[in-house]
């Protein structure tokens, strides 16, 4: 597991902006639990095979040769002197999950091509290099995206997915030993090059700022897997992406520099459950720099004050990497941190397991009401472009709904899209809807979001590269009307889930017995009705076996007698280690659980003396936790205290709406062709109101009030043009009618 170091420094320099919370090293219990975790991650298929690793290295070497040949060709076309032609060079760097060492099987490789000052982005990179790649037989699925915020060329080279960025430096010759970590590399670089360089610079800086890279990587693999299973891994949807999770984990590694992954995972949830957002998470002090580039500073930059969950990049220019987070997604992630914390606390008392922590979140059982956003196009290229544009706009629908309902209506976006195999150029996105928790029913008001939806569609319709056939439709659906294609195999789950006190739905059975029953965030298989009886019997048998593994203190003369006939369920043993990441089928997941319990119950486990010591230390650990809680509080006292007098989303939406109006002014003429067909569309509304049926559901939901639909309509024809989206009458109406007052007042 590498050297522990037992200090908070690396190369004689303190890591982090504060002193560590604890310098304590691992106990034997931590060593055992960490081995269980590592085996669990391996059995879940998170590590690539040696052959695949070699293939990736070969592909990167081939890509480096391609860009070197490309820059030689460009230098000759520029009529540059022969000496510069001979010295012409371009260099490939990697970043993201591959550079961090946490990528899984089949993952793409984030790469950066650094070129000289005469090799332009538009003409040479997206022109000549694109032509060179398209002529190669080993290059497939070539898809340039020059208009993206960070322009990228996507393709597969020898079957390996590549995302290639480009940065043009002010140098005439790119040295082979170029160090892009130096701030001077940004001198005279254009804005797109600075953004492209930022990925590599941040990734390298993270690795420099963690005390133990091996422990960091194992912990980050764990947290990435957990986030995907729980449906909170998606920067586009307003959750957190790969770089965000890496920064959060790296900060925990700084605070507990000598801890093993078992303890780091536990402390991750403990710290971020207690964290008072929007206090920023930072790995190092923010540097002003000498190049005049804007950095994140809420004391100077007005917009930075209103960021909800700032996670600051450690390389100059420091930025907030999580600006996409909304009030709704922050609430969901906070709930998940709390859930993870509770499970880890139970594990320390031998009442939980790694398997329970990674149980998939059943999105399509969590709510009674959803928004379904359908998009379509006429061919694969159009669909790819249209899909990318719509995905980048989805978070604005959430922000608009929060704004227009004064955050009374909360949205939960699913982090991925769903497609019907019978229609390849169509896909759907889903938002779960619920009333804000804790709002008394008699204070409910009526909210109309028809115009909100139309604003969103108008914004999406402002797409400058819109083509005929690009369509979007937004409809309200009930849980029972969720299309079957969102469930694996097109089979709807037969067993419902109960709702926890926190409002998130959990399975009726134990997490250790049936983790993939029902629909999960990652789309695993669901229970079939024909197997219900058999599975229930298996669940009961497994529960009996699991109960036998728990610690029992006898009340007899000797209190040293412990019943420890069994291991922690976290040490999953299975021959199915090739299962891929979060796409592991439910039956495979179930088999892993069953084989673990069947093979190990009664044969091994945590040694008795470790458990005895663990129980003996409980009272002492309570005092240390109080001290730890105070230490965490101290982390959040600094110069960047937020004073959020108005929500960040309002300013962002105002700017977005203004931009949309400007774009639509230029697209009105083109929309006249479609006007006649658009005006024929029939406007309808869907009213969601609380009826007497809701009062009975309140007992089920605890403090959470769910929405009830009294009326549904069939999906309307899709909006096909910006003008159509702007002119069409509202299609959705949400009505929150008070149970106590039937007056019909609305706002």
């Amino acid at each position: 597991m590498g050297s522990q170091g037992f200090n908070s420094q690396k190369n004689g320099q303190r890591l982090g902006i504060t002193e560590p919370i604890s310098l304590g090293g691992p106990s034997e219990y931590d060593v055992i639990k960490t081995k269980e975790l590592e085996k669990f991650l391996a059995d879940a298929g998170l590590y690539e095979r040696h052959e695949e690793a070699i293939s990736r290295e070969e592909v990167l070497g081939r890509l480096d040769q391609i860009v070197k040949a490309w820059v030689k060709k460009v230098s000759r076309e520029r009529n540059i002197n022969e000496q510069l032609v001979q010295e012409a060079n371009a260099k490939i760097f990697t970043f993201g999950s591959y550079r961090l060492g946490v990528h899984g099987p089949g993952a793409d490789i984030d790469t950066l091509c650094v070129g000289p000052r005469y090799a332009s982005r538009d003409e040479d990179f997206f022109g000549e290099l694109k032509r060179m790649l398209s002529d190669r037989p080993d290059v497939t699925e070539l898809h340039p995206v020059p208009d993206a915020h960070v322009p990228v060329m996507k393709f597969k080279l020898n079957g390996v997915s590549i995302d290639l960025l480009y940065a043009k430096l002010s140098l005439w010759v790119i040295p082979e030993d170029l160090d892009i970590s130096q701030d001077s590399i940004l001198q005279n670089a254009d804005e797109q090059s600075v953004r492209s360089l930022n990925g590599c610079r941040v990734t390298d800086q993270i690795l420099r700022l963690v005390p133990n890279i091996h422990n960091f990587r194992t912990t980050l693999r764990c947290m990435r897997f957990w986030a995907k299973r729980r449906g909170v891994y998606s920067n586009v949807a307003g959750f957190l992406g790969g770089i965000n999770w890496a920064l959060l984990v790296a900060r925990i590694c700084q605070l507990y520099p000598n801890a093993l992954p078992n303890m780091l995972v536990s402390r991750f949830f403990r710290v971020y459950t207690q964290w008072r957002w929007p206090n920023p998470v930072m790995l190092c002090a923010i540097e002003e720099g000498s190049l005049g580039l804007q950095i994140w500073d809420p004391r100077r930059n007005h917009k930075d004050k209103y960021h909800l969950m700032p996670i600051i990049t450690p390389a100059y220019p420091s930025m907030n990497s999580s600006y996409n987070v909304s009030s709704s997604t922050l609430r969901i992630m906070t709930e998940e941190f709390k859930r993870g914390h509770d499970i880890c606390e139970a594990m320390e008392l031998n009442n939980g397991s790694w398997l329970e922590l990674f149980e998939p979140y059943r999105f399509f059982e969590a709510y009674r009401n959803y928004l379904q956003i359908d998009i379509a196009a006429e061919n694969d290229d159009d669909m790819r472009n249209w899909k990318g544009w719509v995905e980048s706009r989805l978070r604005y629908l959430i922000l608009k709904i929060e704004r227009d309902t004064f955050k009374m209506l909360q949205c939960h976006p699913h982090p991925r899209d769903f497609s019907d195999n019978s229609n390849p150029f169509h896909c759907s996105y889903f938002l779960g809807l619920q009333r804000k928790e804790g709002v008394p029913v008699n204070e409910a008001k009526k909210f109309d979001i028809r115009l909100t939806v139309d604003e969103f569609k108008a914004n999406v319709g402002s797409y400058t590269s819109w083509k005929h056939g690009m369509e979007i439709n937004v409809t309200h659906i009930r849980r029972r009307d969720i299309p079957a294609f969102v469930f694996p195999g097109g089979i709807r789950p037969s067993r419902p889930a109960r709702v926890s006190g926190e409002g998130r739905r959990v399975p009726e059975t134990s997490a250790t017995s049936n983790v993939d029953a029902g629909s999960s965030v990652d789309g695993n298989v669901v229970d079939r009705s024909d197997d219900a009886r058999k599975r229930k019997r298996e669940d009961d048998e497994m529960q009996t076996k699991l109960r036998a593994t728990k610690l029992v203190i006898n009340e007899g003369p000797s209190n040293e007698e412990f019943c420890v006939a069994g291991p922690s369920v976290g040490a999953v043993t299975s021959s199915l280690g090739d299962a891929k990441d979060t796409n592991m089928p439910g039956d495979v997941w179930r088999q892993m659980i069953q084989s673990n319990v069947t093979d190990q119950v009664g044969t091994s486990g945590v040694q008795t003396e470790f458990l005895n010591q663990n129980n003996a230390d409980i009272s002492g650990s309570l005092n240390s936790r109080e001290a730890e809680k105070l230490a965490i509080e101290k982390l959040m006292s600094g110069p960047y205290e937020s004073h959020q007098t108005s929500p960040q989303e309002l300013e962002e939406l105002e700017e977005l709406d203004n931009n949309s109006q400007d774009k639509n002014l230029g697209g009105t003429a083109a929309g006249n062709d479609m006007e006649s067909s658009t005006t024929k569309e029939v406007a309808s509304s869907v009213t969601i109101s609380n009826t007497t049926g809701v009062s009975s559901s309140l007992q089920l939901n605890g403090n959470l009030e769910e929405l009830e639909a009294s009326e549904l309509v069939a999906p309307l024809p899709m909006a096909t043009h910006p003008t159509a989206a702007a002119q069409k009458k509202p299609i959705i109406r949400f009505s929150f009618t008070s149970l106590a007052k039937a007056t019909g007042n609305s706002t």
Side-chain angles (χ1 to χ4, degrees):
M1 295 185 183
S3 173
Q4 301 303 325
F6 291 102
N7 59 65
S8 61
Q9 298 184 345
K10 192 171 184 179
N11 299 325
Q13 183 179 6
R14 190 188 76 182
L15 302 178
I17 60 174
T18 65
E19 293 291 339
I21 292 177
S22 172
L23 293 175
S27 65
E28 294 183 74
Y29 175 81
D30 288 327
V31 173
I32 291 175
K33 297 299 289 184
T34 294
K35 289 180 178 178
E36 289 181 4
L37 176 60
E38 290 175 337
K39 182 167 178 51
F40 185 95
L41 299 177
D43 289 341
L46 300 187
Y47 296 87
E48 67 178 356
R49 300 189 308 274
H50 179 66
E51 297 78 11
E52 186 175 357
I54 294 177
S55 175
R56 287 176 183 272
E57 293 177 3
E58 292 175 348
V59 163
L60 287 173
R62 191 176 307 177
L63 179 61
D64 191 60
Q65 294 174 357
I66 292 173
V67 298
K68 286 181 181 345
W70 161 71
V71 79
K72 293 274 189 187
K73 186 174 183 179
V74 170
S75 64
R76 290 190 177 95
E77 292 176 351
R78 293 287 188 272
N79 295 321
I80 296 175
N81 66 68
E82 188 60 28
Q83 180 179 353
L84 283 180
V85 171
Q86 295 301 320
E87 296 177 349
N89 189 33
K91 187 170 174 57
I92 291 292
F93 295 87
T94 62
F95 62 100
S97 63
Y98 183 81
R99 176 70 180 95
L100 290 173
V102 295
H103 61 287
D108 58 8
I109 305 179
D110 295 314
T111 57
L112 168 69
C113 173
V114 175
R117 61 190 303 169
Y118 53 80
S120 68
R121 174 177 288 100
D122 295 334
E123 182 180 352
D124 297 320
F125 182 76
F126 285 108
E128 183 59 38
L129 181 57
K130 176 192 171 185
R131 287 189 289 271
M132 291 176 62
L133 291 172
S134 62
D135 291 340
R136 294 180 62 95
D138 54 355
V139 173
T140 58
E141 301 181 24
L142 179 60
H143 177 56
V145 192
D147 297 327
H149 185 66
V150 181
V152 60
M153 193 123 63
K154 297 173 176 284
F155 56 92
K156 285 187 176 181
L157 180 57
N158 200 28
V160 176
S161 296
I162 301 289
D163 285 356
L164 181 62
L165 311 183
Y166 180 65
K168 183 182 72 170
L169 303 186
S170 59
L171 303 175
W172 284 98
V173 177
I174 303 299
E176 196 61 30
D177 59 351
L178 178 69
D179 181 6
I180 61 174
S181 66
Q182 300 298 319
D183 292 349
S184 58
I185 207 75
L186 304 176
Q187 187 77 42
N188 298 324
D190 60 80
E191 188 175 351
Q192 292 172 318
S193 293
V194 172
R195 293 196 202 110
S196 299
L197 286 162
N198 193 49
C200 290
R201 288 165 53 83
V202 168
T203 303
D204 289 347
Q205 189 72 348
I206 290 174
L207 294 176
R208 294 188 187 99
L209 291 173
V210 293
N212 186 303
I213 292 178
H214 176 84
N215 291 340
F216 164 74
R217 285 173 171 165
T218 301
T219 308
L220 180 55
R221 278 188 191 274
C222 174
M223 296 314 306
R224 284 164 57 96
F225 184 52
W226 171 84
K228 292 175 182 178
R229 298 288 284 187
R230 299 303 299 173
V232 291
Y233 189 100
S234 173
N235 186 277
V236 173
F239 295 110
L240 301 182
I243 190 63
N244 310 126
W245 292 109
L247 291 169
L248 291 182
V249 170
R251 184 60 180 135
I252 299 302
C253 291
Q254 290 181 339
L255 296 174
Y256 302 89
N258 301 315
L260 291 183
N262 166 65
M263 183 177 178
L264 291 172
V265 170
S266 173
R267 296 308 183 265
F268 179 97
F269 290 117
R270 181 176 297 180
V271 169
Y272 294 123
T273 294
Q274 190 178 333
W275 199 268
R276 287 184 284 104
W277 304 104
N279 286 282
V281 172
M282 298 186 293
L283 300 186
C284 59
I286 296 177
E287 297 181 1
E288 293 283 346
S290 58
L291 303 179
L293 300 176
Q294 181 172 316
I295 59 174
W296 185 85
D297 189 346
R299 299 167 300 182
R300 300 179 182 177
N301 306 323
H302 182 64
K303 290 184 178 181
D304 292 347
K305 289 183 180 181
Y306 308 121
H307 290 171
L308 301 181
M309 192 182 187
I311 303 172
I312 311 305
T313 57
Y316 177 78
S318 296
M319 309 173 188
N320 176 22
S321 64
S322 53
Y323 60 87
N324 275 358
V325 173
S326 68
S327 297
S328 289
T329 53
L330 176 59
R331 172 186 57 84
I332 293 164
M333 287 187 285
T334 301
E335 291 176 1
E336 287 298 335
F337 291 155
K338 177 63 166 60
R339 173 188 175 273
H341 173 64
D342 292 343
I343 293 175
C344 288
E345 292 284 290
M347 288 176 63
E348 293 185 11
L349 300 175
N350 307 296
N351 291 324
S353 70
W354 292 120
L355 199 61
E356 184 179 359
L357 181 67
F358 295 109
E359 179 193 3
Y361 176 60
R362 294 176 174 83
F363 178 83
F364 291 110
E365 297 176 15
Y367 303 97
R368 288 196 175 95
N369 294 277
Y370 297 84
L371 282 187
Q372 178 175 341
I373 300 98
D374 296 296
I375 66 171
E378 290 190 345
N379 56 62
D380 189 56
D381 286 340
D382 287 354
M383 186 63 187
R384 186 185 297 111
N385 294 331
W386 184 232
K387 181 179 176 182
W389 169 252
V390 173
E391 285 181 348
S392 71
R393 303 290 96 182
L394 281 177
R395 78 183 188 94
Y396 290 105
L397 175 59
I398 299 172
L399 297 180
K400 287 173 182 291
I401 292 174
E402 290 178 348
R403 174 197 66 186
D404 294 348
T405 64
F406 303 98
K407 300 187 179 181
M408 296 285 288
L409 181 62
Q410 296 177 331
C411 301
H412 182 174
H414 195 289
R416 52 162 288 198
D417 63 277
F418 295 86
S419 300
D420 189 350
N421 292 334
S422 63
N423 189 354
F425 307 130
H426 168 275
C427 73
S428 301
Y429 303 88
F430 294 87
L431 301 180
L433 301 173
Q434 70 178 22
R435 182 201 305 276
K436 183 178 181 180
E437 185 176 355
V439 176
V441 176
N442 58 4
E443 293 183 11
K445 303 292 185 181
K446 187 181 294 182
F447 295 94
D448 188 342
I449 67 166
R450 294 177 296 176
L451 293 178
T452 304
V453 171
D454 279 348
E455 280 184 29
F456 165 71
K457 294 173 71 174
N459 174 251
V460 171
S462 67
Y463 183 41
T464 55
S465 300
W466 183 90
K467 293 183 180 179
H468 178 74
M470 292 181 176
E471 302 173 346
I472 182 169
N473 188 33
V474 182
T475 55
H476 160 258
I477 60 172
R478 292 286 300 275
R479 184 196 306 157
R480 61 173 176 264
D481 301 310
I482 292 171
F485 64 77
V486 308
F487 303 106
I491 301 173
R492 190 178 300 274
S494 59
R495 184 160 46 187
R498 63 180 174 83
V499 179
S500 70
E502 296 177 358
R504 309 204 76 189
R505 300 185 76 87
V506 297
E508 291 184 341
T509 56
S510 169
T512 58
S513 62
N514 186 19
V515 293
D516 276 343
S519 57
S520 68
V521 170
D522 46 20
N524 289 340
V525 292
V526 301
D527 275 345
R528 301 173 186 270
S529 57
D530 295 342
D531 296 334
R533 238 177 246 177
K534 177 181 177 183
R535 292 185 185 277
K536 186 178 186 305
R537 184 169 60 251
E538 292 172 349
D539 293 344
D540 293 340
E541 292 174 355
M542 291 177 61
Q543 284 297 315
T544 301
K545 292 177 180 179
L546 288 171
R547 280 194 293 268
T549 70
K550 292 187 178 180
L551 174 65
V552 177
I553 303 179
N554 293 335
E555 298 294 338
S558 174
N559 60 3
E560 296 297 326
E561 296 180 10
F562 292 85
C563 176
V564 288
S568 167
V569 182
V572 178
T573 59
S574 172
S575 60
L576 303 171
D578 291 334
K580 297 293 189 294
D581 201 352
T582 60
N583 294 321
M584 182 183 298
D587 289 339
V588 174
W589 197 258
R590 174 183 295 275
Q591 186 172 346
M592 290 173 64
I593 308 167
Q594 291 175 330
S595 64
N596 176 62
V597 175
T598 303
D599 294 343
Q600 297 191 34
V601 166
T603 61
S604 64
V606 181
Q607 296 296 322
T608 302
E609 54 267 28
F610 297 154
L611 289 177
N612 193 14
Q613 178 183 355
N614 188 46
N615 277 270
D617 291 341
I618 288 178
S619 59
S621 65
L622 292 177
N623 295 330
S624 65
R625 287 180 186 177
E626 287 300 319
E628 192 172 354
K629 183 177 181 180
L630 293 176
I632 296 172
E633 283 292 332
K634 289 182 179 179
L635 296 176
M636 290 172 280
S637 58
Y640 301 106
E641 295 185 11
S642 296
H643 303 283
Q644 296 192 341
T645 55
S646 62
Q648 162 212 6
E649 295 95 327
L650 295 183
E651 289 190 351
E652 195 171 358
L653 287 173
E654 288 175 2
E655 181 179 350
L656 174 72
D657 293 339
N658 291 335
N659 292 339
S660 298
Q661 293 172 8
D662 294 340
K663 291 180 180 179
N664 279 327
L665 290 176
T668 304
N672 292 335
D673 302 339
M674 311 295 296
E675 185 174 355
S676 59
S677 62
T678 304
T679 54
K680 296 179 182 178
E681 294 183 0
V682 180
S684 285
S685 67
V686 178
T687 302
I688 297 183
S689 60
N690 289 326
T691 63
T692 54
V694 178
S695 60
S696 61
S697 71
L698 294 181
Q699 296 178 355
L700 176 68
N701 296 345
N703 295 326
L704 177 66
E705 300 173 14
E706 296 255 11
L707 307 177
E708 283 288 351
S710 60
E711 179 184 359
L712 286 175
V713 296
L716 295 173
M718 290 188 174
T720 57
H721 192 271
T723 306
Q727 292 182 352
K728 198 174 66 172
K729 293 183 179 180
I731 64 169
I732 295 182
R733 182 183 182 186
F734 288 98
S735 174
F736 294 73
T737 306
S738 171
L739 289 175
K741 301 178 182 179
T743 59
N745 294 333
S746 62
T747 58

